[in-house]
Amino acid sequence: MSNYRNDDQLLAEMFKALGNPHRLLLFHRLTTCCQPGTRCDLDAAMRFSVGQLGEGLEIAPSTLSHHLKALHQAGLIEMERQGKQVMCWIEPAVLSRLSGYFAGNEEIPIER
Amino acid sequence: MSNYRNDDQLLAEMFKALGNPHRLLLFHRLTTCCQPGTRCDLDAAMRFSVGQLGEGLEIAPSTLSHHLKALHQAGLIEMERQGKQVMCWIEPAVLSRLSGYFAGNEEIPIER
DNA sequence: TCTATATTTCGAAACATGTCGAACTATAGA
DNA sequence: TCTATAGTTCGACATGTTTCGAAATATAGA
């Protein structure tokens, strides 16, 4: 497909990942902390383990893992093992890149 | 799935629609007019017919129609027949809703 | 070293999506 | 009314996605 800028391919993969309700909820949990509708900037508060993210979602651990891997491979979330757990978070640049896409500033590159 | 707010379902459908490279390109064409990276506010300039949108994309008319219908059903684009052609455009509120989602203002409701 | 906890990988089944061509509908103009 | 243009609907096929359970891996602590 020669009509696409590299960027659009990346973006399409991000939207595809967010296009599943389970994955969108997981992503959403990583963007909000404590109070609903609030966003705090303390990095620690925005990190959740795989297990925490899956709480209340009625899906098998293997399915949860699969979805988080998809979000990670799309460049939407970061994952890092910390002891027995794997912690997940979103880089703020990802949010501004996506917000910017719809707001019309597409100069901002995705950083990986 | 009881964990989802109504809104998240709508949003997931929007992202799912944008998750296909062909559809993202179609959507993207509707957000940009004339100069790349520019966004003009003249409504007329932001309207394209189904045929115009498909130009250069190597997909069958039936596939094009299918994709535009998906974008429309997800609430991303508007469609209206004007003579022989069907014109497509994006309501600015959709762009601000999506931009706002990633920027952290989720109070703004989707208007349909 | 053994065990419990946390997460991932694998394989399989059910279901959804992207694509096409053929046939259809809608409109404008000769 | 006939024809050409613009899009849509339908049915079929190939491919991709979601989900699970079972088995595997990683880590911390007894």
Side-chain angles (χ1 to χ4, degrees):
Chain A
M1 265 186 266
S2 52
N3 290 296
Y4 300 95
R5 305 169 308 162
N6 305 335
D7 230 49
D8 283 349
Q9 282 294 347
L10 284 177
L11 235 13
E13 278 176 42
M14 287 184 169
F15 293 135
K16 185 166 165 185
L18 295 175
N20 172 283
H22 281 143
R23 284 194 298 264
L24 185 60
L25 179 55
L26 293 167
F27 182 82
H28 191 261
R29 285 190 176 176
L30 285 172
T31 66
T32 47
C33 69
C34 328
Q35 271 70 30
T38 306
R39 178 164 302 168
C40 70
D41 280 347
L42 289 158
D43 281 357
M46 305 297 273
R47 287 175 172 237
F48 293 91
S49 72
V50 169
Q52 286 175 317
L53 285 172
E55 268 167 32
L57 248 94
E58 280 164 21
I59 56 176
S62 56
T63 305
L64 174 62
S65 184
H66 168 75
H67 282 318
L68 289 172
K69 187 178 176 185
L71 287 169
H72 177 62
Q73 287 183 337
L76 287 165
I77 69 171
E78 304 300 314
M79 301 178 85
E80 186 174 57
R81 182 172 280 274
Q82 236 156 66
K84 275 195 285 192
Q85 296 168 311
V86 171
M87 304 305 289
C88 308
W89 73 96
I90 300 175
E91 289 294 342
V94 169
L95 292 173
S96 28
R97 175 69 186 84
L98 289 167
S99 175
Y101 177 73
F102 294 109
N105 19 297
E106 294 184 56
E107 314 77 36
I108 306 164
I110 291 171
E111 26 189 278
R112 288 257 215 183
Chain B
M1 264 183 266
S2 53
N3 289 295
Y4 300 95
R5 303 169 309 164
N6 306 335
D7 228 50
D8 283 349
Q9 282 295 347
L10 283 178
L11 234 14
E13 278 175 42
M14 288 185 170
F15 293 134
K16 187 164 162 185
L18 295 175
N20 173 283
H22 281 143
R23 285 194 298 264
L24 185 61
L25 179 55
L26 292 167
F27 181 82
H28 192 261
R29 284 189 178 176
L30 285 172
T31 65
T32 47
C33 69
C34 328
Q35 271 70 28
T38 306
R39 175 164 303 167
C40 70
D41 280 348
L42 289 159
D43 281 357
M46 304 296 273
R47 286 175 172 238
F48 292 91
S49 72
V50 169
Q52 287 176 316
L53 285 172
E55 269 167 31
L57 246 94
E58 282 164 20
I59 55 177
S62 56
T63 305
L64 175 61
S65 185
H66 169 73
H67 283 317
L68 289 171
K69 187 179 177 184
L71 287 169
H72 178 61
Q73 288 183 336
L76 287 165
I77 69 171
E78 305 300 314
M79 301 178 84
E80 188 174 56
R81 180 171 283 276
Q82 236 157 65
K84 275 196 284 192
Q85 295 169 312
V86 172
M87 304 304 288
C88 307
W89 72 97
I90 300 174
E91 289 295 342
V94 169
L95 293 174
S96 26
R97 173 71 186 82
L98 289 167
S99 175
Y101 177 73
F102 294 109
N105 20 297
E106 295 184 56
E107 314 79 36
I108 305 161
I110 291 171
E111 25 190 278
R112 289 256 216 183

